[in-house]
Amino acid sequence: MKDKKVKTPVISGKSIVQTFGETKVLNEIDLDIYDGDFTVIMGTSGSGKSTLLYCLSGMEQAAGGTIYCGDQTVTGASEKELTKLRADKFGFVFQKTHLVSNLTLYENIVMAGLIGSGFSENDVRERARQLAVQMNLQNAVDRLPSQVSGGEAQRAAVARAVMGNPAILFADEPTGALNKANTKEVLNLFTKLHEEGQTILLVTHDKEAALRGNRILYIEDGRVISELALSEYGKDRDTREKKLAEWLEGLGW
Ligand code: ADP
Ligand code: MG
C-alpha cells in the first residue's frame, strides 16, 4: 500500500473567466491541478476544454480570475515571463504534432532540448536518445516526420514535450488524428509517463483516453460540473471502465 500523501497543486486557478466578444466561454472556474495526477478534462465539442487548457498554460490570457503556477502568476505575466514558464515548466502536445518536417524525429527532439535548457549539447543528445528508446522509437528516430506512422510522429512529439522535464505536460486531443492502434501506443506512453511521476493534464472526448486518468473533470458551458476519481489504470480495469461509463451516462454523454 502506498502512503496517502497530501497533494500539492502545480497549477491553481481561481475564478477563471474567458470571453470571446459577448460570449463567456469560461465561467468562473476554480481548479487545482495536483502534482503527480493524471487529470483529464472531458466535455462536448465547444464546451471550453481547449480554452481552459490554453488559459491555465498561459497560451491565452484569461479575461478574469487568477492562475498561479508555484510562486509565478500566469495571469498578468509578461510575454517574457510566460516564455520562461513554458520553457522551464510546461510541455505541450496537440492533435497535430507540429514537428519540423525537414528534420528527423531525433533532431526534432534534440532541438527542443537545445532551446532554452542549460544543458550541454552532449547531455541533450544523450537524453534525446534515452527518450527515443523509452518511447519505443528506435526504428523511426532517423526518419523524417513524413516517413513514419502517425503514432510514431506523435510519440516523438511527446518526447519533445518532456525533454525539459516539465512540471506539467499539457495535451489537447493528442490522439484525435490517430487510428486505433496508434492511439493505443500513444496512450500507453502517457500511462508510462504518469507511472513515472509525470503530472499530466489531458483534454479529450475519447473515453479510452479518459480511462488513463485518475481524476476526470467534466466541463459544460464553461463550468466544471462534475468530477470523478478513478483508481490507477491497470488495477480493476472493469470496475474503472464501468464507473466512467456510468458517470458519463449520468452527464448525458
Ligand atoms: P472545446 O475545446 O471544448 O471544443 P473550445 O475551448 O475550443 O472548446 O471553445 C469553446 C467556445 O469558445 C466555442 O464556442 C468556440 O467557438 C469559442 N472560441 C474558442 N476560441 C475562440 C476564439 N479565438 N475566438 C472566438 N471564439 C472562440
Ligand atoms: Mg478543443
Side-chain angles (χ1 to χ4, degrees), residues 159-196:
R160 182 185 54 180
V162 298
M163 255 316 266
N165 273 322
I168 178 163
L169 175 62
F170 292 98
D172 190 0
E173 308 270 9
T175 58
L178 300 178
N179 67 24
K180 218 169 174 180
N182 284 329
T183 292
K184 189 154 188 205
E185 281 183 7
V186 170
L187 292 180
N188 285 344
L189 180 52
F190 274 88
T191 295
K192 192 166 164 187
L193 288 169
H194 168 57
E195 285 168 357
E196 289 164 4

Side-chain angles (χ1 to χ4, degrees), residues 49-50 172-173 203:
K49 304 184 294 297
S50 295
D172 190 0
E173 308 270 9
V203 160

Side-chain angles (χ1 to χ4, degrees), residues 20 25 44-51:
F20 292 116
V25 171
T44 54
S45 180
S47 55
K49 304 184 294 297
S50 295
T51 304

Side-chain angles (χ1 to χ4, degrees), residues 26-203:
L26 300 182
N27 209 324
E28 301 189 9
I29 291 181
D30 290 324
L31 177 62
D32 288 336
I33 303 299
Y34 298 102
D35 190 31
D37 266 4
F38 189 156
T39 306
V40 176
I41 299 174
M42 287 195 87
T44 54
S45 180
S47 55
K49 304 184 294 297
S50 295
T51 304
L52 179 57
L53 185 145
Y54 296 159
C55 286
L56 288 172
S57 59
M59 281 172 54
E60 268 179 23
Q61 275 298 351
T66 320
I67 297 162
Y68 301 96
C69 177
D71 49 13
Q72 169 79 58
T73 319
V74 178
T75 35
S78 68
E79 211 32 66
K80 197 175 158 197
E81 287 168 324
L82 285 175
T83 305
K84 186 163 162 44
L85 197 60
R86 283 191 286 258
D88 293 351
K89 294 206 169 165
F90 297 163
F92 293 95
V93 190
F94 304 95
Q95 181 167 338
K96 278 183 69 175
T97 60
H98 301 286
L99 293 168
V100 179
S101 61
N102 61 348
L103 294 180
T104 64
L105 299 191
Y106 177 67
E107 292 302 337
N108 266 283
I109 301 169
V110 166
M111 200 174 68
L114 292 178
I115 298 170
S117 87
F119 296 106
S120 72
E121 179 163 351
N122 274 345
D123 287 351
V124 166
R125 290 194 170 277
E126 181 53 32
R127 171 152 170 79
R129 219 163 271 129
Q130 287 169 2
L131 277 175
V133 172
Q134 189 191 357
M135 319 253 151
N136 197 18
L137 281 171
Q138 298 92 308
N139 300 324
V141 276
D142 293 323
R143 298 201 209 122
L144 297 172
S146 60
Q147 298 168 331
V148 302
S149 74
E152 285 166 335
Q154 190 59 295
R155 270 144 52 212
V158 176
R160 182 185 54 180
V162 298
M163 255 316 266
N165 273 322
I168 178 163
L169 175 62
F170 292 98
D172 190 0
E173 308 270 9
T175 58
L178 300 178
N179 67 24
K180 218 169 174 180
N182 284 329
T183 292
K184 189 154 188 205
E185 281 183 7
V186 170
L187 292 180
N188 285 344
L189 180 52
F190 274 88
T191 295
K192 192 166 164 187
L193 288 169
H194 168 57
E195 285 168 357
E196 289 164 4
Q198 177 69 58
T199 305
I200 300 172
L201 180 63
L202 170 81
V203 160

Side-chain angles (χ1 to χ4, degrees), residues 198-219:
Q198 177 69 58
T199 305
I200 300 172
L201 180 63
L202 170 81
V203 160
T204 188
H205 58 245
D206 175 12
K207 217 152 64 171
E208 282 305 314
L211 262 179
R212 304 300 180 118
N214 65 284
R215 180 188 182 208
I216 328 289
L217 306 167
Y218 195 88
I219 178 167

